[in-house]
Amino acid sequence: MSDVMIEVKGLRIVAGSETEGMSEIVKGVDFAVKKGEVLALIGESGSGKTTIALSLLGYTRHGCAFAGGSVRVGGTDVLSLDDAGRRALRARTVAYVAQSAAAGFNPARTLMDQVIEPTQLHRLMTRKAARAKAVELFRALALPAPDSIGDRYPHQVSGGQLQRVMAAMALITDPAVVVFDEPTTALDVTTQIEVLVAFKRVIKEVGATAVYVSHDLAVVAQMADRIVVLNGGEVQECGEVDQVLDAPAHAYTRALLAASDHRQGRGADERAAAVDGGTEAPLLEIRGLSAGYGRIDRHGHPAVCVLDDVNLSIARGSALGVIGESGSGKTTLARVVAGLVERASGEVLFEGQPLSAQLGGRTADQYRRIQLVFQNADTALNPSHTVADILGRPLAFYKGLRGAAAKRRIGELLDLVKLPASTAGRRPGGLSGGQKQRVNLARALAAEPSLILCDEVTSALDTVVGAAILELLRDLRRELSVSYMFISHDISTVRAICDDVLVLYAGQGVEGGQRKLLDRPPHHPYTGLLVDSVPALERGWLDAHRNIGSCALPPLSADSGSGRLCSFRARCSVRVDGKCNAVPPPLRTLPSGAQILCHRSADELQTLQPVRGAA
């Protein structure tokens, strides 16, 4: 098998210690990858994907050890290498692109210094040659200003750009194998498309063999040639992408596909019926909201404006999805409602009563009835406290419950979020990502809120766990009549759980209406871009949509200086010079009932939008 680049046979990895006991987390895994092929490792969190991928570098996490089997890369027996041999292997023969680029870079050094560092450590080329090669990779990865971006520091580029810089660092040594570990999980849909296109093109150009770790089946369908399905450290299925996705042989693979369909909102009409608000006043209403950071001027505008003239309402028992790219103002909106960020101007009404801009100005009941569930449960839960301590605090603060009464209610809360009672005695470090997010949600429910602000609560979870959390949120809404503001960059998630949608771009609400506005054109041009950027679970989708948002735009004429111009005009392929950059867009109502801020009529948008994203 001279064309085989990677061969893994009977790989076993254990975790723990001899005193506390050892557990097998990778159980006799076998697979092979041919030269130039892209193999995807998929499965739930804890299935062993990353552990197996890291074995290709001869590495195990702290507390883990190789217990058997073999790993061969290009004929080299990786597990038999000593420390020096493994250091020589890493970056030179096998390179790694981590999930979090932000955590992988030194903030005190320039990007260029870090990208060329592997070439200097392995003495592959001069510093001048390395810098020239880095610029070539920046250009191939479609990074802006490739000649100068290397002079920036990590905090001076976006998340998607930093992910591509990390890929350049991995590829600069011309490795035979590149391991991509969930490299687009935390990116919004439009940025993800750019990064996937860049990765796929460069892998093909350099002829590298790749292992792509992911829980996103739609992404895998675009990137991989073959798939290995993992569960509990064991291979459940291995085959060509088309076979695994279209005719899965194993029940677990079928369950993964079903969870992906469920999370994308297929069959969403079967969810809890939308609430008919009738003439009842909204639970939450926001009018003309502006917010940001820094000194507020006499016109009510902050020095740095994050939200500008945002309007929305949430009926009792309903769910509003707030979508947009990173930096659109979604989280700031939730923090304004929660009282963590002061608004500069506008009104926020809760049950018809004004909410103070400052948390200290709110009543105890208002404080209790609006709860925020943070995106990252790892940082939201105190690692030194037990789950009982974490849930007991809001029970004591809001309800005055202590002792046996608190213990009883903690058991009820754990049952409500479908966690065993034994979880109460555990600390967050001993829980899975999905379990921690359930505890995060149980803490909010302890206050018996009317409104829960969910900030990207499923973005870091795998498909199966994310679908389970969405199902839980639907159940709680039905059982407790709780309302949600559901903040996400994942349109599939919003489709699955929300009744209404607000689309934010650069702090402006550019479209709002019922969830059906996402289903078909016409849309606001930005909404259309977001919808078109959601990968479909079908081969070739990325190639057919690789030009989304990247068409050449005609130059805009000079701005008139008028306030509140369309914030999307610089990226809009259907903009109108002399209107979009001269006067604020009118509020239009589309046939779907959605309201948009746009100079284009519904008929014009219907005609123009179907051609978006053509290859």
Side-chain angles (χ1 to χ4, degrees):
M1 296 196 300
S2 59
D3 62 338
V4 173
M5 176 58 68
I6 301 169
E7 187 176 25
V8 175
K9 284 187 175 181
L11 178 64
R12 294 174 53 243
I13 299 175
V14 295
S17 64
E18 293 183 2
T19 56
E20 297 178 355
M22 308 290 285
S23 60
E24 197 170 33
I25 58 174
V26 175
K27 307 168 184 177
V29 166
D30 299 292
F31 63 83
V33 189
K34 296 179 181 178
K35 290 180 180 178
E37 189 175 56
V38 178
L39 177 79
L41 301 178
I42 68 170
E44 299 174 67
S45 297
S47 61
K49 305 186 298 294
T50 295
T51 302
I52 293 167
L54 290 173
S55 73
L56 303 179
L57 291 87
Y59 177 82
T60 60
R61 290 166 168 164
H62 180 70
C64 299
F66 295 112
S70 64
V71 176
R72 302 187 71 85
V73 176
T76 300
D77 185 351
V78 174
L79 303 190
S80 69
L81 296 174
D82 58 15
D83 289 345
R86 293 182 186 186
R87 283 196 298 271
L89 174 86
R90 295 167 188 165
R92 181 65 185 92
T93 303
V94 184
Y96 180 69
V97 178
Q99 178 175 352
S100 175
F105 281 88
N106 185 333
R109 298 178 61 201
T110 66
L111 296 174
M112 180 61 78
D113 283 346
Q114 296 179 75
V115 167
I116 68 173
E117 184 177 34
T119 66
Q120 305 305 290
L121 289 174
H122 292 278
R123 299 180 181 178
L124 299 176
M125 60 189 78
T126 65
R127 187 176 181 85
K128 181 179 179 180
R131 291 179 66 91
K133 185 168 185 178
V135 170
E136 291 176 9
L137 285 168
F138 294 159
R139 189 170 285 111
L141 287 163
L143 281 160
D147 293 317
S148 60
I149 194 171
D151 298 329
R152 301 182 194 175
Y153 290 86
H155 70 277
Q156 294 176 316
V157 298
S158 70
Q161 290 168 355
L162 198 59
Q163 205 71 47
R164 281 177 279 176
V165 172
M166 178 174 271
M169 182 163 56
L171 293 165
I172 197 166
T173 60
D174 294 325
V177 173
V178 183
V179 176
F180 293 94
D181 189 2
E182 302 267 19
T184 63
T185 295
L187 303 179
D188 58 59
V189 288
T190 53
T191 305
Q192 176 178 255
I193 291 297
E194 296 174 3
V195 172
L196 290 176
V197 167
F199 283 177
K200 191 167 186 178
R201 181 177 61 247
V202 172
I203 289 171
K204 185 176 181 180
E205 288 176 356
V206 303
T209 303
V211 173
Y212 198 98
V213 175
S214 182
H215 62 249
D216 191 329
L217 293 172
V219 168
V220 165
Q222 315 316 315
M223 299 298 293
D225 301 304
R226 292 173 57 248
I227 294 175
V228 169
V229 182
L230 296 161
N231 185 30
E234 296 181 286
V235 175
Q236 306 298 311
E237 184 166 355
C238 181
E240 301 290 328
V241 169
D242 290 337
Q243 177 266 306
V244 173
L245 297 182
D246 297 336
H250 198 279
Y252 178 71
T253 310
R254 292 193 290 272
L256 283 179
L257 290 165
S260 180
D261 287 348
H262 193 53
R263 190 169 180 178
Q264 291 183 37
R266 301 181 190 183
D269 292 336
E270 298 175 5
R271 78 195 197 293
V275 174
D276 181 6
T279 58
E280 188 178 20
L283 178 68
L284 179 76
E285 187 173 10
I286 294 176
R287 302 171 184 165
L289 174 68
S290 293
Y293 304 93
R295 182 186 295 273
I296 298 173
D297 64 22
R298 60 189 178 88
H299 302 293
H301 299 138
V304 178
C305 188
V306 178
L307 297 171
D308 181 21
D309 194 26
V310 173
N311 301 275
L312 63 86
S313 67
I314 301 177
R316 297 171 190 272
S318 71
L320 171 72
V322 181
I323 62 175
E325 296 168 310
S326 298
S328 61
K330 304 186 300 296
T331 294
T332 299
L333 176 60
R335 288 176 175 269
V336 167
V337 175
L340 301 179
V341 172
E342 290 188 36
R343 61 182 180 270
S345 60
E347 292 181 284
V348 179
L349 304 176
F350 187 68
E351 293 192 318
Q353 299 300 312
L355 273 180
S356 171
Q358 297 178 333
L359 196 58
R362 299 184 180 185
T363 67
D365 192 57
Q366 289 174 334
Y367 186 46
R368 173 186 67 81
R369 294 180 62 195
I370 300 175
Q371 293 293 310
L372 176 60
V373 178
F374 295 95
Q375 175 177 1
N376 191 343
D378 285 320
T379 56
L381 302 177
N382 191 322
S384 65
H385 288 180
T386 65
V387 171
D389 294 333
I390 291 168
L391 300 184
R393 185 171 183 182
L395 290 176
F397 184 79
Y398 293 118
K399 298 293 183 179
L401 295 181
R402 291 176 174 81
K407 184 177 181 181
R408 187 163 53 249
R409 181 56 179 156
I410 288 169
E412 292 172 355
L413 287 169
L414 291 175
D415 183 61
L416 200 59
V417 298
K418 298 178 173 58
L419 286 174
S422 60
T423 308
R426 301 172 67 183
R427 287 180 168 79
L431 303 177
S432 70
Q435 289 172 327
K436 281 182 278 195
Q437 199 61 283
R438 288 171 188 264
V439 172
N440 206 10
L441 184 57
R443 180 172 58 181
L445 292 170
E448 297 182 9
S450 300
L451 175 66
I452 299 180
L453 310 170
C454 299
D455 187 7
E456 301 272 17
V457 294
T458 61
S459 65
L461 303 178
D462 64 60
T463 304
V464 172
V465 176
I469 293 293
L470 292 179
E471 188 64 39
L472 172 62
L473 290 170
R474 278 193 289 266
D475 290 345
L476 293 171
R477 177 181 163 192
R478 184 171 54 248
E479 295 170 15
L480 305 177
S481 297
V482 67
S483 299
Y484 299 125
M485 180 188 287
F486 198 93
I487 291 166
S488 182
H489 63 247
D490 185 344
I491 291 177
S492 301
T493 298
V494 169
R495 274 193 176 114
I497 196 170
C498 296
D499 305 308
D500 302 301
V501 176
L502 173 67
V503 182
L504 285 181
Y505 180 77
Q508 287 186 330
V510 297
E511 182 162 4
Q514 295 182 345
R515 190 203 68 218
K516 65 182 180 181
L517 71 85
L518 299 173
D519 293 340
R520 61 183 64 86
H523 309 290
H524 185 280
Y526 176 61
T527 308
L529 174 62
L530 292 178
V531 171
D532 285 351
S533 298
V534 179
L537 193 57
E538 59 186 46
R539 290 277 275 169
W541 180 93
L542 183 64
D543 293 332
H545 291 72
R546 63 182 179 271
N547 293 325
I548 287 177
S550 62
C551 54
L553 298 175
L556 282 167
S557 55
D559 289 349
S560 68
S562 173
R564 291 188 173 146
L565 298 178
C566 176
S567 54
F568 188 57
R569 65 190 185 277
R571 295 172 59 188
C572 182
S573 60
V574 298
R575 67 195 183 188
V576 183
D577 281 342
K579 280 189 176 181
C580 298
N581 55 334
V583 293
L587 185 65
R588 298 183 182 274
T589 300
L590 299 177
S592 65
Q595 291 189 313
I596 66 170
L597 288 173
C598 190
H599 286 285
R600 293 285 190 179
S601 69
D603 289 340
E604 289 176 311
L605 292 172
Q606 184 70 59
T607 301
L608 293 166
Q609 287 181 348
V611 301
R612 185 193 292 107

